[in-house]
Amino acid sequence: MINRKLNAVQLSGLIIGPILGSGIILLPPIIYDVAGDYAIFSWIIIMLINFFFAFLFGQLSIKFPGEAGVTQAVEVVFGKYIKYLTSFFLIGAVCFGPIAVLMTAAQFLQIDGFSTKWMAVLLMGITILILLLNVSFIGKIAFVLSSVSAILLFSGGLTSLIQYPKTDLFTTSFDFSTFGYSLLLLFWTIVGWEVIGNYSNEVKDVRKTIPKAIGFSALIITIVCLLVAASIQWSTIPTVSDGSQINVASILTPIFGGWTGWIMGIIAPGLCLSSIILFIGGTARLIRRLAEEGVLPKKLSYRTKTNIPLGGIIALSCFHVFVFVLIFFNWINATQIVAIADGFFISNVFVTMLAAIKLFKQKIVKMLIGMMLLVLFMFLSFSSPFILVSIAILTIFFVYKQIKFNAKQSCKDGEKNLLMVK
């Protein structure tokens, strides 16, 4: 039996930093630029969705613990091939998403002789080395990075609001289309809850630890996001004197002054690496489980004596190298990578929520899930035709396999019942 090592604090470290991730660095000024003074309401709505996601995937992780994560819930409702479908959606997202996050982190680390692309490759190497460490130690590292980043962002946002408040809070008009687009962009900030279940085999007392960790993490994430968004929107920091837009670095300037660049060089890479560690680590465990079930090559099931899913980590790293090659040849860019990852992430969550409708008995929960399905469908409709076609091909293939499997099982059951009658 696998030794369960993560406590609530360590699990929180694997949640807070990753979900804040690159989104809290890049999105606040972008959302303000898109939605104007009503941007704060976009953040409030997405944070309410964030709490719902935390509750939903937390409950599913408790009900269906194991390295396969919440895909097990999909298997119970729809069958094993639909579980494989959601698994490949998640694997597809993690084959691309971490590269965009690494490119974001690399922008805050400038070393002579290293371009942003090569810095991202270097950070990828560091991430792999961290992933080879004991999971409880990774949890401690992630918690330190998450705590430091959250405290610094909270302090900077609060100081900016208190010292340099805006007089007029609402001066722009409301536009429904731009408001809706801001919500679409903000979906990136709530990606991550669906991976928590993949770590449940390494958690102490799943029923107590997961609710504590998820409740605490959701609260901290909400406070930090809303405070940073409000400070971007409602602060008039004098250091931004050239008419340029306030960004996350700006709100740290009243406290850290000339040290702000160095501070951002810690926060941004720290949050980005935390995010990558969560996704690659969780997905590598999923790959190991699928390899054990014979869906993927058996060699990918290899894990070390300390339970590190080495086969899955190597497989994902090889694909990441391939994506970096595409980037170096300018055949793909960071925006396209994010679009691909988002399409697969949304598809994964969509199928999981379809299963959750049947699994949860409370009418209010069913209704909220139904509303979220409509929102996710709208989000998915904004994906590129290439992504939609890829998702459709995977869906048709695995649905066909499931229908075929169900028909075969029905025939077997019918024959068995016939023999019993005889």
Side-chain angles (χ1 to χ4, degrees):
M1 185 175 179
I2 296 171
N3 184 27
R4 293 172 176 154
K5 299 177 181 179
L6 290 171
N7 58 34
V9 171
Q10 292 163 346
L11 186 58
S12 296
L14 287 173
I15 299 174
I16 297 172
I19 293 182
L20 286 175
S22 58
I24 194 62
I25 304 297
L26 296 177
L27 287 177
I30 293 174
I31 299 304
Y32 181 48
D33 186 54
V34 169
D37 292 330
Y38 292 88
I40 192 65
F41 295 108
S42 299
W43 282 96
I44 291 171
I45 291 172
I46 213 70
M47 286 301 106
L48 290 173
I49 295 174
N50 181 61
F51 266 102
F52 180 67
F53 270 35
F55 163 78
L56 182 69
F57 286 104
Q59 290 299 308
L60 290 176
S61 298
I62 293 169
K63 290 182 178 181
F64 302 96
E67 289 184 324
V70 297
T71 59
Q72 295 172 100
V74 176
E75 181 177 16
V76 169
V77 176
F78 298 120
K80 66 176 184 178
Y81 287 102
I82 307 303
K83 180 189 80 169
Y84 298 153
L85 173 64
T86 57
S87 299
F88 279 102
F89 281 153
L90 181 58
I91 292 169
V94 177
C95 280
F96 289 92
I99 306 303
V101 178
L102 286 170
M103 296 291 287
T104 300
Q107 294 174 13
F108 294 90
L109 296 172
Q110 299 297 324
I111 298 177
D112 293 338
F114 274 86
S115 65
T116 299
K117 294 175 182 178
W118 279 111
M119 180 56 69
V121 173
L122 177 62
L123 288 174
M124 185 73 251
I126 294 172
T127 303
I128 293 171
L129 291 176
I130 294 173
L131 284 165
L132 297 179
L133 299 173
N134 183 277
V135 68
S136 63
F137 185 66
I138 293 175
K140 292 174 183 176
I141 293 174
F143 182 75
V144 171
L145 290 172
S146 302
S147 299
V148 171
S149 301
I151 290 169
L152 292 175
L153 291 171
F154 177 86
S155 302
L158 187 63
T159 302
S160 299
L161 282 172
I162 292 173
Q163 291 188 359
Y164 308 105
K166 261 187 182 179
T167 305
D168 299 321
L169 300 184
F170 292 94
T171 57
T172 59
S173 58
F174 178 80
D175 182 81
F176 182 78
S177 61
T178 56
F179 186 77
Y181 183 61
S182 70
L183 290 173
L184 173 63
L185 293 175
L186 281 174
F187 182 81
W188 185 255
T189 64
I190 59 175
V191 167
W193 295 109
E194 64 275 22
V195 184
I196 305 303
N198 298 98
Y199 287 92
S200 55
N201 268 358
E202 296 164 85
V203 169
K204 295 178 181 178
D205 196 348
V206 170
R207 292 189 174 276
K208 290 183 179 179
T209 300
I210 288 181
K212 287 180 182 178
I214 283 183
F216 175 72
S217 300
L219 181 63
I220 297 300
I221 290 165
T222 299
I223 291 172
V224 172
C225 284
L226 291 181
L227 191 59
V228 170
S231 62
I232 293 292
Q233 183 170 330
W234 291 328
S235 297
T236 55
I237 301 171
T239 52
V240 186
S241 57
D242 59 354
S244 61
Q245 191 178 50
I246 294 175
N247 55 34
V248 174
S250 304
I251 68 172
L252 297 176
T253 305
I255 297 179
F256 301 105
W259 290 91
T260 299
W262 288 95
I263 298 297
M264 285 300 297
I266 296 172
I267 292 177
L271 289 175
C272 290
L273 288 182
S274 296
S275 180
I276 295 168
I277 288 167
L278 172 77
F279 281 108
I280 295 180
T283 307
R285 285 163 172 77
L286 174 60
I287 289 173
R288 194 189 75 79
R289 183 62 180 173
L290 292 176
E292 284 185 339
E293 294 179 15
V295 182
L296 293 174
K298 193 69 175 178
K299 289 184 179 180
L300 297 181
S301 67
Y302 177 77
R303 62 181 176 188
T304 66
K305 292 180 180 179
T306 54
N307 199 38
I308 306 302
L310 188 60
I313 292 173
I314 291 174
L316 289 170
S317 299
C318 289
F319 197 92
H320 292 153
V321 169
F322 169 71
V323 177
F324 270 122
V325 170
L326 297 180
I327 291 173
F328 274 92
F329 279 97
N330 295 317
W331 292 337
I332 195 171
N333 58 44
T335 303
Q336 291 169 324
I337 292 171
V338 170
I340 293 170
D342 263 350
F344 283 121
F345 273 131
I346 292 171
S347 300
N348 170 267
V349 174
F350 190 90
V351 179
T352 305
M353 284 195 163
L354 282 174
I357 284 184
K358 187 171 182 179
L359 292 170
F360 285 89
K361 303 301 180 184
Q362 303 94 324
K363 289 185 178 180
I364 182 66
V365 175
K366 288 178 179 287
M367 185 177 69
L368 289 172
I369 293 173
M371 292 170 61
M372 279 307 308
L373 285 170
L374 292 175
V375 172
L376 291 176
F377 184 79
M378 180 189 72
F379 287 174
L380 193 59
S381 67
F382 283 94
S383 297
S384 70
F386 170 76
I387 303 302
L388 292 175
V389 169
S390 300
I391 291 168
I393 290 172
L394 279 172
T395 302
I396 291 169
F397 173 77
F398 281 105
V399 168
Y400 168 75
K401 294 282 285 185
Q402 186 64 55
I403 291 172
K404 190 175 179 181
F405 177 80
N406 290 346
K408 189 176 180 180
Q409 286 297 112
S410 296
C411 289
K412 285 184 178 180
D413 292 341
E415 291 174 0
K416 188 182 295 183
N417 292 334
L418 186 60
L419 289 172
M420 290 176 67
V421 171
K422 290 183 178 179

